[in-house]
Amino acid sequence: MNGLSLIGSASDAPHGHLRTDPFGTKASEAARRGFRQLSVVLAYGPDKEEPEEEIAMEDSSTIAKLDRGENHVSPYQGRRSLPKALGYITGNMKEFADWLKDKPVVLQFIDWVLRGMAQVVFVSNPISGILIVVGLLVQNPWWALTGCVGTVVSTLTALLLSQDRSAIAAGLQGYNATLVGILMAVFSDKGNYFWWLLFPVCAMSMTCPVFSSAMSSVFCKWDLPVFTLPFNMAITMYLAATGHYNPFFPSKLITPVTSVPNVTWTDLSALELLKSVPVGVGQIYGCDNPWTGGIFLCAILLSSPIMFLHAAIGSLLGIAAGLSLSAPFENIYFGLWGFNSSLACIAIGGMFTALTWQTHFLAVACALFTAYLGISVSQVMTVVGLPACTWSFCLATLLFLLVTTENPNIYRMPLSKVTYPEENRIFYLQAKKRIVESPL
């Protein structure tokens, strides 16, 4: 769900899944067979003063200047940590994407659609996309169908509009329509398998690449991603145009709170609160089944353990925020307090900022801020009969990404270099080392 391509970025460096220490000062040992030479050319240019030394990533992600005859690390050392095959199905599966380039376009298109399904939670991994579809099928097959239809139509529209092919291949032109398709089915008052709904699903999904392209041309001035703003705009436009009393496509009636909720603290259930953590993650896709939320967490874990950790922390912080405001327990159990804060925690906690202790705490602060902003936005939008969707996540996270600081440990990733947190941290450590070794 990042703003630019996750595949074929400017560096064209091969990416592999890393098992890193997210809070250490060095990246941990690589789990893949071996990384090729990787240099930070984008921001700092090539190093011309030290030709005899190089930054190497040969199964040891310790960022150091290696003397070939002195500090060499065995290329077989990293292979012992995890099976070799695991490295090819984790992270963003860059090797698989490269392998597909000369294969039939139908296979490539399926890969793009699956990545689009997963990009809702910032994951560009087709196996994670399959898990997302499985989770949706567990929740409601009709929702899974409308989500897939939206992703397919949006991706095809992006191709027709000649959008950047690498962004399409990374799923960045599909994820907003995934949410549009699912949420149109969720808010439909006609129930499941109202087949006429597929027509407006297709129509609104076609607007997502238009919104994405237009907003990217504006946000690129600040090197910011568009997040799920195209989804918010499309679904809000549709629900505002139809409403509850539309004879063809009525939506569920949304009304503001008009009385003091009955909150009895002795009725609070620890088990239900525990289930609310995966439910909060599931509500990113509009799902309230804890098993579905658990499958979504597994899909995130497959790509990045750091993202998995922050997704769970963000959902938990949303629960805490709801309890602090004495929110009705049903809303907390339903995951309505967790999904926006979960997305925000992932975005700041290693995805669009390199992970350090400082950015970890910044992610925690952003998650709490998002949760409180979410209830504010919800109170306003219910007055006009509209859901809050992910407006609070977008607004809060963009605000935090625009924060300026002189702290070198709070490093915002260039969008062209964003992949997944473990790889982002490698990039950050290399950039930091280059600055230390080559002061201006």
Side-chain angles (χ1 to χ4, degrees):
M1 236 160 95
N2 22 333
L4 294 180
S5 168
L6 304 187
I7 294 179
S9 59
S11 66
D12 263 341
H15 302 294
H17 179 66
L18 302 179
R19 295 185 62 83
T20 59
D21 174 9
F23 307 117
T25 57
K26 297 181 179 180
S28 300
E29 183 171 304
R32 196 180 298 256
R33 178 174 181 178
F35 288 95
R36 303 186 190 96
Q37 180 179 351
L38 182 62
S39 59
V40 187
V41 178
L42 177 69
Y44 306 102
D47 188 352
K48 299 181 180 179
E49 299 181 0
E50 301 172 339
E52 74 281 357
E53 296 170 324
E54 61 182 2
I55 297 175
M57 297 295 298
E58 293 293 333
D59 280 308
S60 173
S61 51
T62 303
I63 308 303
K65 194 181 291 184
L66 298 181
D67 188 338
R68 297 180 180 224
E70 189 175 3
N71 297 323
H72 180 66
V73 178
S74 170
Y76 297 96
Q77 182 176 354
R79 300 180 196 173
R80 304 189 189 103
S81 59
L82 282 175
K84 176 183 174 182
L86 188 60
Y88 290 101
I89 63 173
T90 53
N92 60 2
M93 293 184 65
K94 178 68 163 60
E95 291 79 7
F96 179 72
D98 292 337
W99 177 80
L100 276 178
K101 286 181 178 178
D102 58 349
K103 299 300 183 291
V105 68
V106 174
L107 294 178
Q108 296 183 48
F109 187 79
I110 294 173
D111 175 67
W112 302 343
V113 170
L114 290 174
R115 289 177 186 267
M117 300 286 289
Q119 276 284 9
V120 175
V121 286
F122 309 104
V123 172
S124 179
N125 186 309
I127 299 180
S128 295
I130 293 174
L131 291 176
I132 296 295
V133 174
V134 170
L136 291 172
L137 289 172
V138 171
Q139 172 73 40
N140 189 320
W142 172 240
W143 297 0
L145 176 61
T146 56
C148 289
V149 168
T151 311
V152 169
V153 171
S154 179
T155 305
L156 287 173
T157 304
L159 288 171
L160 292 174
L161 293 175
S162 299
Q163 296 298 297
D164 180 61
R165 183 58 68 92
S166 61
I168 296 174
L172 297 177
Q173 294 291 350
Y175 71 93
N176 279 294
T178 301
L179 291 176
V180 168
I182 295 172
L183 270 297
M184 285 178 67
V186 169
F187 288 112
S188 174
D189 206 33
K190 288 286 190 177
N192 295 332
Y193 303 106
F194 177 56
W195 296 103
W196 291 106
L197 185 67
L198 293 179
F199 288 99
V201 165
C202 292
M204 298 312 301
S205 296
M206 293 174 67
T207 67
C208 290
V210 177
F211 284 133
S212 295
S213 180
M215 299 186 71
S216 293
S217 64
V218 176
F219 282 26
C220 68
K221 301 180 186 300
W222 299 278
D223 201 31
L224 291 172
V226 299
F227 290 132
T228 54
L229 284 173
F231 150 70
N232 286 317
M233 297 172 70
I235 194 69
T236 301
M237 182 173 66
Y238 168 78
L239 293 176
T242 54
H244 178 64
Y245 300 104
N246 187 278
F248 293 149
F249 305 106
S251 60
K252 286 181 169 35
L253 182 63
I254 299 174
T255 58
V257 178
T258 57
S259 61
V260 179
N262 183 18
V263 177
T264 306
W265 288 95
T266 55
D267 294 337
L268 187 64
S269 171
L271 178 60
E272 291 297 324
L273 286 179
L274 182 62
K275 288 166 56 179
S276 299
V277 175
V279 170
V281 177
Q283 281 288 3
I284 295 173
Y285 289 84
C287 301
D288 62 346
N289 188 322
W291 291 105
T292 295
I295 294 173
F296 291 166
L297 282 171
C298 290
I300 298 172
L301 177 62
L302 179 66
S303 176
S304 168
I306 294 176
M307 292 174 65
F308 166 83
L309 178 66
H310 283 88
I313 290 175
S315 182
L316 186 63
L317 290 171
I319 295 171
L323 292 174
S324 70
L325 291 182
S326 189
F329 297 153
E330 294 77 14
N331 292 346
I332 297 175
Y333 299 156
F334 200 60
L336 298 182
W337 280 84
F339 68 98
N340 277 305
S341 55
S342 182
L343 284 172
C345 199
I346 297 173
I348 302 298
M351 193 65 196
F352 295 96
T353 61
L355 185 63
T356 60
W357 276 110
Q358 290 82 352
T359 54
H360 171 69
F361 288 122
L362 190 67
V364 170
C366 183
L368 286 171
F369 181 82
T370 302
Y372 291 121
L373 179 62
I375 189 60
S376 304
V377 173
S378 178
Q379 297 279 23
V380 172
M381 296 195 69
T382 53
V383 174
V384 292
L386 294 173
C389 298
T390 58
W391 284 106
S392 60
F393 151 65
C394 294
L395 298 176
T397 309
L398 288 172
L399 179 66
F400 271 69
L401 288 177
L402 285 171
V403 170
T404 58
T405 177
E406 295 182 358
N407 189 335
N409 292 316
I410 300 178
Y411 179 80
R412 181 154 72 92
M413 293 289 299
L415 279 187
S416 62
K417 297 296 183 180
V418 170
T419 52
Y420 54 96
E422 288 82 357
E423 191 75 7
N424 293 344
R425 181 167 168 79
I426 292 295
F427 179 90
Y428 159 71
L429 291 175
Q430 287 185 314
K432 185 177 180 180
K433 178 179 181 292
R434 181 62 61 88
I435 293 175
V436 172
E437 292 180 349
S438 304
L440 297 178

